[in-house]
Amino acid sequence: MYENILVETHGPVGLVKLNRPKQLNALNTATLRELARAIGAFEQDEAIGAMVITGNERAFAAGADVAEFQQTSLSDLMRGLRADQYETLRKVRKPLIAAVSGFAYGGGCELAMICDLIVASDTARFAQPEINLGIIPGGGGTQRLTRQVGKYLAMEVILAGRVLSAWEALQHGLVNRVVPVELYLEEALELAQTIASRAPLAARLAKDAVNRAQDMSLENGLGLERSNFLIAFGSEDKQEGTTAFVEKRKPVWKGQ
């Protein structure tokens, strides 16, 4: 079905591997389209509770495909084909984890930041080097990086081309954890398995509340949290979860 990605399932976890090793997994339009389609299929699969996006040990994704960019016109970009794929990924309701090793540059860094959690290998490197091509980040880099690491470090990364090591990314809150390179994918899959074992409706509602917290005042955010809490409280999963707790057994979630 796919030319640029590999798709696997690990129990309740869907895994998508970028698979353009000769191009260091550079993100051309076809790859983004396939990625969005695969993640969308996992989103619709009731058996899948969480998803992982990864590349290989050498590169998560080394940015956009510059050769394609060279041939891309302004009118092509104005049609929003690449932006549509990023937006599809941004709107995914199930938890999404990036397992990052090696280069996460440009669009690769932006792709990782779209995800809800990032597990990095100790060889991971994060950068937004678009200024070297005479452009700026166009997949959310100026906005998400600034929100995660602050204005001044974001300015240095975007304007001066500073590359953040995995440990610097951890220090500044850009990743959740750093593990040895031989364990990074296993660690991400284990984290995804843990999340997928939780109540699926509650996980989606919690993800929604946390993601929107950055864009709201505290008052509005608390209102959203309250609304999502009431939805979860009225669910069958809430009844199952509280009953299982009292009966000292594992809950059986239905996502309803």
Side-chain angles (χ1 to χ4, degrees):
M1 291 179 60
Y2 302 108
E3 295 183 1
N4 301 299
I5 62 173
L6 301 173
V7 177
E8 303 173 6
T9 55
H10 295 254
V13 175
L15 173 64
V16 180
K17 295 181 178 179
L18 303 175
N19 189 39
R20 302 184 73 214
K22 291 182 179 179
Q23 296 82 15
L24 297 177
N25 294 327
L27 297 169
N28 61 5
T29 302
T31 301
L32 287 171
R33 186 181 296 115
E34 290 184 4
L35 177 60
R37 181 152 55 96
I39 292 296
F42 282 140
E43 175 87 331
Q44 298 302 316
D45 188 343
E46 293 184 1
I48 298 298
M51 295 163 285
V52 175
I53 298 174
T54 193
N56 55 46
E57 290 186 4
R58 188 180 179 196
F60 176 70
D65 190 316
V66 178
E68 183 185 65
F69 257 24
Q70 188 180 28
Q71 304 300 321
T72 301
S73 68
L74 180 58
S75 61
D76 290 333
L77 288 180
M78 292 290 286
R79 286 189 294 145
L81 298 180
R82 293 176 65 90
D84 288 347
Q85 313 311 325
Y86 279 110
E87 189 66 9
T88 296
L89 295 170
R90 186 185 70 83
K91 290 182 176 179
V92 167
R93 299 180 65 202
K94 293 178 181 178
L96 186 59
I97 299 171
V100 177
S101 184
F103 301 111
Y105 282 16
C109 186
E110 291 170 321
L111 175 59
M113 291 190 293
I114 286 175
C115 297
D116 304 303
L117 303 98
I118 302 177
V119 175
S121 83
D122 52 13
T123 67
R125 299 292 183 268
F126 299 86
Q128 297 286 169
E130 288 88 348
I131 200 164
N132 295 324
L133 301 176
I135 57 176
I136 70 170
T142 63
Q143 302 304 300
R144 292 191 177 93
L145 186 65
T146 302
R147 283 168 167 77
Q148 291 307 120
V149 306
K151 170 186 172 180
Y152 297 103
L153 182 55
M155 285 289 192
E156 187 174 356
V157 171
I158 293 167
L159 297 182
R162 176 172 171 178
V163 177
L164 299 180
S165 70
W167 295 107
E168 288 175 315
L170 181 65
Q171 176 187 353
H172 294 285
L174 186 59
V175 305
N176 291 81
R177 59 188 72 170
V178 176
V179 298
V181 63
E182 62 270 18
L183 298 176
Y184 81 101
L185 182 54
E186 178 184 336
E187 186 84 4
L189 289 171
E190 287 183 4
L191 180 58
Q193 293 274 358
T194 297
I195 293 171
S197 71
R198 305 306 196 237
L201 177 61
R204 292 195 295 270
L205 292 168
K207 168 177 171 169
D208 175 59
V210 172
N211 277 339
R212 294 172 65 183
Q214 292 182 316
D215 303 320
M216 289 183 166
S217 67
L218 177 59
E219 182 177 359
N220 289 338
L222 290 172
L224 172 67
E225 180 188 84
R226 178 67 174 172
S227 296
N228 285 7
F229 171 79
L230 293 174
I231 293 170
F233 197 83
S235 69
E236 292 184 25
D237 279 353
K238 171 263 178 181
Q239 191 61 41
E240 168 64 10
T242 54
T243 300
F245 181 83
V246 171
E247 295 178 354
K248 295 181 172 58
R249 61 173 175 83
K250 292 185 65 173
V252 179
W253 308 117
K254 296 181 179 179
Q256 299 176 354

